[in-house]
């Protein structure tokens, strides 16, 4: 059901941090290409070799594996700060707004520690490689791009969700990870991830059409459930008000 998880579903579960939304989005994007096979993910280093310029391996890293990488580059003191942050390999590689500045903020490395920030920037660049870095620069150059901050939250108004003034409202029925989500030129399909769709383009097209049809059906069903939930909440408020007045 992760394919059809909506923004409204996350808000209902009180997940309103923008970074967490993006983390889920990129995680689902990766898992979708692996047919949601959890055994593709790497929690610990496979061997003692240093990973360099290999974004397709890095995107399989779990949060724990990212912390292990920080320890390997002499940042053990800061590694625990990533626990529960939602940072994983797919977010680091696939999200163009994920930068070394954001990583430094999540690690609580102050801007005054320039040498330390330069250290993590150098190792991060070596880790993901030039292709990934160029994709991030291209993504950041897009007009709709805005900074991703650790503390930014999705704001709730009386009439629903809204962004900054002048921008369109967020659609609660929109999927957290749209079917056509862009990977910014970074290849997702790789044999090391145990993928199957790349071997048969026709099968990929059929599966894509099927997913889109099912997504629309599930989306409509989700909308009906949200409408019914809202009605039940209103009815409950109407019935509880006289009871409270009687008690007074």
């Amino acid at each position: 059901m992760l394919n059809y998880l909506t923004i409204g579903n996350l808000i209902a579960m009180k997940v309103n941090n923008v970074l967490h939304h993006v983390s889920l989005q990129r995680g689902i994007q990766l898992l979708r290409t692996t047919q949601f096979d959890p055994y593709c993910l790497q929690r610990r280093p496979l061997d003692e070799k240093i990973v360099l310029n290999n974004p397709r391996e890095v995107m399989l890293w779990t949060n724990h594996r990212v912390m292990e990488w920080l320890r390997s580059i002499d940042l053990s003191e800061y590694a625990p700060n990533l626990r529960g942050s939602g940072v994983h390999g797919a977010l680091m590689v696939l999200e163009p707004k994920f930068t070394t500045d954001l990583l430094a903020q999540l690690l609580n490395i102050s801007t005054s520690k320039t040498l330390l920030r330069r250290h993590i920037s150098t190792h991060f660049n070596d880790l993901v490689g030039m292709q990934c870095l160029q994709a991030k620069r291209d993504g950041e150059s897009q007009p709709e791009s805005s900074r991703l901050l650790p503390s930014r939250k999705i704001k709730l108004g009386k009439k629903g969700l809204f962004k900054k003034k002048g921008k369109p409202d967020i659609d609660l029925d929109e999927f957290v990870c749209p079917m056509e989500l862009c990977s910014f030129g970074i290849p997702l399909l790789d044999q090391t991830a145990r993928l199957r769709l790349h071997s048969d383009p026709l099968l990929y097209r059929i599966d894509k059409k099927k997913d889109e049809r099912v997504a629309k059906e599930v989306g409509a069903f989700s909308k009906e459930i949200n409408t019914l939930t809202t009605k039940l909440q209103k009815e409950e408020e109407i019935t509880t008000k006289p009871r409270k007045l009687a008690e007074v």
Side-chain angles (χ1 to χ4, degrees):
M1 292 302 292
L2 288 175
N3 259 334
Y4 314 116
L5 186 69
T6 66
I7 294 176
N9 295 145
L10 292 185
I11 297 299
M13 292 185 285
K14 302 190 183 302
V15 180
N16 57 4
N17 185 287
V18 175
L19 179 60
H20 291 167
H21 278 234
V22 178
S23 174
L24 283 167
Q25 180 186 79
R26 295 302 177 179
I28 293 171
Q29 182 183 19
L30 172 68
L31 288 172
R32 184 180 290 157
T33 65
T34 67
Q35 299 299 291
F36 293 90
D37 181 5
Y39 296 103
C40 291
L41 304 179
Q42 295 181 18
R43 190 172 186 271
R44 298 184 183 280
L46 298 177
D47 48 45
E48 297 299 324
K49 72 175 183 178
I50 299 175
V51 179
L52 293 175
N53 191 18
N54 195 347
R56 286 185 292 185
E57 179 179 341
V58 174
M59 70 173 67
L60 300 174
W61 287 6
T62 64
N63 177 260
H64 186 273
R65 178 65 181 89
V66 175
M67 292 168 61
E68 290 292 325
W69 167 71
L70 289 170
R71 294 186 181 99
S72 72
I73 59 173
D74 301 322
L75 291 175
S76 300
E77 177 184 351
Y78 299 93
N81 293 332
L82 277 194
R83 187 175 290 114
S85 65
V87 174
H88 49 77
L91 176 67
M92 293 168 61
V93 173
L94 297 175
E95 178 52 50
K97 299 176 187 177
F98 190 95
T99 62
T100 52
D101 284 340
L102 175 59
L103 181 58
Q105 290 181 59
L106 291 166
L107 293 173
N108 292 328
I109 299 175
S110 66
T111 54
S112 61
K113 297 182 178 181
T114 54
L115 290 177
L116 197 55
R117 284 190 168 231
R118 189 181 306 167
H119 172 79
I120 193 171
S121 177
T122 300
H123 283 279
F124 181 83
N125 295 346
D126 290 340
L127 182 71
V128 299
M130 289 304 300
Q131 182 182 8
C132 180
L133 294 176
Q134 184 58 50
K136 286 178 179 294
R137 294 190 189 102
D138 293 342
E140 288 177 339
S141 66
Q142 299 298 320
E144 70 271 11
S145 180
S146 59
R147 291 186 63 192
L148 194 59
L149 303 173
S151 58
R152 173 180 283 179
K153 296 185 181 297
I154 295 176
K155 296 181 180 179
L156 281 170
K158 293 182 180 179
K159 295 183 180 180
L161 288 170
F162 63 90
K163 293 184 178 180
K164 292 183 179 179
K165 188 176 181 181
K167 294 187 178 181
D169 290 347
I170 297 174
D171 185 1
L172 288 175
D173 296 325
E174 182 180 350
F175 294 133
V176 173
C177 184
M179 298 296 175
E180 66 282 1
L181 185 64
C182 180
S183 63
F184 295 94
I186 301 169
L188 284 171
L189 303 181
D190 185 64
Q191 290 182 355
T192 59
R194 290 185 280 177
L195 307 176
R196 69 177 181 87
L197 294 180
H198 70 290
S199 61
D200 190 342
L202 177 61
L203 180 60
Y204 174 78
R205 290 197 295 271
I206 292 173
D207 279 5
K208 184 177 180 182
K209 289 181 180 180
K210 182 180 178 181
D211 279 349
E212 290 174 348
R213 177 176 57 80
V214 174
K216 289 180 180 179
E217 295 175 356
V218 174
F221 182 67
S222 176
K223 188 174 182 179
E224 292 177 1
I225 292 177
N226 290 336
T227 302
L228 178 61
T229 303
T230 303
K231 288 182 180 179
L232 291 173
Q233 288 176 345
K234 289 182 179 179
E235 291 177 1
E236 185 178 0
E237 291 176 0
I238 293 173
T239 55
T240 54
K241 283 183 179 178
R243 191 184 305 165
K244 290 181 179 179
L245 290 174
E247 291 175 355
V248 173

